[in-house]
Amino acid sequence: MVKISEFQIKDVVNVADGKRLGNIGDIEINLTTGKIDAVVISGSGRVLGFFGKDDDVVIPWKNIIKIGQDVILVRYKGNEFSGEVDG
C-alpha cells in the first residue's frame, strides 16, 4: 500500500523520451468504483498553483507503467496517449 503523501514526492518520468514531467499534485478518483482514474501533474512555472501558463498534465492510470521507490514511469506523448500499456 502507498500513501498519497509518498506518491506525491516521487518524480514522474516519461518513458517515451526520458524526461521528468514533475511530481503528482492531485489524483482523480472514480467515485462509483473507488479506483484512481488518473494522476495530475501541475504545470511547471506555477507558484503555489496560481501563477504560470502551463496546463496540468493528466495521465490516465492505464498509462502508468511502473511505480518504483523514487520514480513513477509513465507513457506520455504530449497531449496524446499511446494507448494501452503492454502487459
Side-chain angles (χ1 to χ4, degrees):
M1 182 166 61
V2 177
K3 294 179 181 178
I4 292 176
S5 58
E6 295 170 359
F7 204 54
Q8 291 178 313
I9 60 172
K10 297 177 188 290
D11 289 330
V12 179
V13 176
N14 184 6
V15 297
D17 59 10
K19 290 185 180 178
R20 180 183 178 277
L21 297 175
N23 296 90
I24 293 173
D26 208 349
I27 58 173
E28 293 181 0
I29 299 175
N30 182 318
L31 295 178
T32 304
T33 64
K35 295 182 179 181
I36 297 174
D37 278 348
V39 294
V40 180
I41 300 170
S42 298
S44 61
R46 292 186 177 205
V47 177
L48 300 175
F50 295 110
F51 305 107
K53 296 183 179 180
D54 292 347
D55 291 330
D56 291 344
V57 175
V58 179
I59 300 175
W61 187 258
K62 68 181 182 179
N63 287 64
I64 295 177
I65 296 171
K66 177 78 173 171
I67 299 173
Q69 193 169 17
D70 299 318
V71 175
I72 300 171
L73 299 177
V74 300
R75 188 171 312 238
Y76 177 72
K77 290 187 178 181
N79 292 329
E80 180 180 331
F81 291 97
S82 59
E84 295 289 333
V85 175
D86 294 335

